[in-house]
Structures are given as C-alpha cells and as structure tokens.
C-alpha cells in the first residue's frame, strides 16, 4: 500500500501544501518548533528507560588473581 509513498513528486506536493498553509515566513519557525519537540520527546523516552548495565562491567576480568 505504501510502497510508492516516498516518490519525489509526493515530497514536492507536501512542501507546496506546507507553504500554502503556513506561509513561507513561518516555515522556519514551524520547523524549529518541531525539532525542539522531537528533542524533548527523545529525552523523555530515554529518561523512562534507564540504560542497561555495561556488559564488560558485569563480566569478571580474567587477568585479576
């Protein structure tokens, strides 16, 4: 169903619709806002899932007596 969804003319039409809806002067502000939102979302999802312990830290070192 979505095999041909990323053809170049689809992106051109999408960009044209965005320019018509938001105007060419507000597009950088909209893009900045989306970028900030994505960074916040990524930081929050990282905070929900703590990092697993490093595998080398839990493995005993064979060099120690």
């Amino acid at each position: 169903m979505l095999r041909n969804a990323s053809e170049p003319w689809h992106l051109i039409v999408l960009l044209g619709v965005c320019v018509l809806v938001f105007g060419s002067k507000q597009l950088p502000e909209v893009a900045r806002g989306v970028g900030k939102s994505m960074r916040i979302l990524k930081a929050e999802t990282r905070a929900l899932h703590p990092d697993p312990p490093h595998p080398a830290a839990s493995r005993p070192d064979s060099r120690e007596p």
Side-chain angles (χ1 to χ4, degrees), residues 18-31:
C18 287
V19 168
L20 287 175
V21 170
F22 295 111
S24 61
K25 291 186 179 187
Q26 285 190 344
L27 275 180
E29 290 180 29
V30 170

Side-chain angles (χ1 to χ4, degrees), residues 33-61:
V34 169
K36 283 183 181 179
S37 298
M38 292 301 291
R39 279 191 297 267
I40 291 170
L41 178 65
K42 187 185 279 189
E44 292 297 324
T45 54
R46 279 190 201 140
L48 288 175
H49 302 290
D51 292 335
H54 196 279
S58 63
R59 186 178 56 188
D61 193 7

